Amino acid sequence: MVNNFNIFKAPVLIIFGINLIFCQSPEQILKTTHEKSLMLNDFYYKFRIESKVDNPILPITGELFSKGEKYFIDTEYIDQIYDGENLFTIVHENQEIITGNSDIPMFSFTPYQLLNFFTRNHELYNLSNSRKYIIKAVNKNDGIIYFISINSSNYSIEKIEMQDSSSEQIINTFLTLTYDYNLSVPLSLFKFDIENYKNYIIVE
């Protein structure tokens, strides 16, 4: 009797896990992704953004450091600092610092940004499979469809694809190269210091 129970236990657990993935709403998945990130001491992504269309700064490789809702994105062309209250986008080519909300969709991939951006402005659909959560986000106003792939075991972001709704062409793709957490990231990393950008112009 015990052996029979053990034989059937594994398939039941697998079926239960698959049902859990498909039963969650996309809003719940994004919320959990955000909550899990806040529970970590610090987390780190090394990422690559690629494009199927002509783009002067892509492909690009960068790093994302985050502590709670604060984050620092470091790339060759564009950096972003969010100190918990203010957002600074540093465009190195133009030597500009844009303060406030900066509409650069390809850099909107932190768990905090995903929750706020997609739950406000998009219709969300759960396309998940047994290995990962896949959320389809549609904004009819701008003609862009996003596919967000999230690891179902640790809720890390694996991939984000931007697709043109009319041509169905993938425009940009965010890929996680490495992911780590519970690091020791100094708070100074999330503090904007104008002294580091003496020749830059501030645009509000």
Side-chain angles (χ1 to χ4, degrees):
M1 181 67 96
V2 174
N3 289 336
N4 288 338
F5 175 75
N6 288 332
I7 290 172
F8 287 106
K9 184 169 67 172
V12 167
L13 291 174
I14 291 171
I15 292 170
F16 177 78
I18 292 173
N19 286 338
L20 181 62
I21 287 175
F22 284 103
C23 287
Q24 291 189 79
S25 71
E27 291 83 3
Q28 287 175 320
I29 295 170
L30 289 179
K31 183 178 179 182
T32 303
T33 301
H34 179 227
E35 290 173 348
K36 292 281 187 182
S37 72
L38 293 178
M39 291 170 61
L40 301 176
N41 181 33
D42 301 296
F43 69 83
Y44 163 83
Y45 283 96
K46 184 174 183 181
F47 62 86
R48 181 175 175 84
I49 302 176
E50 301 174 347
S51 180
K52 298 293 185 181
V53 299
D54 290 334
N55 191 308
I57 70 169
L58 298 181
I60 189 172
T61 301
E63 296 178 300
L64 162 65
F65 299 87
S66 183
K67 181 187 289 287
E69 293 182 353
K70 300 177 182 180
Y71 65 85
F72 171 60
I73 297 173
D74 181 19
T75 76
E76 181 181 354
Y77 301 104
I78 298 174
D79 296 345
Q80 273 192 346
I81 300 171
Y82 180 65
D83 62 11
E85 295 181 2
N86 304 297
L87 176 65
F88 303 90
T89 301
I90 300 101
V91 184
H92 298 298
E93 182 179 7
N94 301 334
Q95 291 193 316
E96 290 181 345
I97 299 168
I98 304 170
T99 61
N101 292 327
S102 180
D103 186 16
I104 305 179
M106 68 179 179
F107 280 93
S108 301
F109 49 73
T110 70
Y112 175 76
Q113 289 170 316
L114 290 179
L115 178 70
N116 287 276
F117 179 68
F118 290 114
T119 55
R120 282 201 315 262
N121 305 310
H122 297 77
E123 295 180 8
L124 302 178
Y125 306 90
N126 186 352
L127 307 181
S128 303
N129 57 44
S130 58
R131 194 184 72 83
K132 66 180 68 176
Y133 297 114
I134 302 174
I135 297 172
K136 178 181 178 181
V138 180
N139 187 332
K140 295 181 180 179
N141 295 326
D142 63 12
I144 300 296
I145 299 173
Y146 296 86
F147 295 92
I148 308 152
S149 298
I150 299 170
N151 187 294
S152 60
S153 61
N154 62 14
Y155 286 85
S156 63
I157 302 162
E158 294 184 344
K159 181 169 67 173
I160 303 173
E161 293 180 318
M162 293 174 60
Q163 181 187 73
D164 182 272
S165 60
S166 56
S167 67
E168 297 187 350
Q169 180 183 17
I170 299 297
I171 303 170
N172 295 327
T173 302
F174 163 86
L175 296 166
T176 296
L177 301 179
T178 59
Y179 171 73
D180 205 351
Y181 56 91
N182 289 340
L183 308 172
S184 179
V185 179
L187 281 172
S188 58
L189 197 61
F190 312 105
K191 183 179 180 180
F192 174 77
D193 187 352
I194 189 61
E195 292 298 317
N196 296 328
Y197 310 97
K198 291 184 179 180
N199 298 320
Y200 284 56
I201 299 171
I202 296 180
V203 180
E204 296 182 356

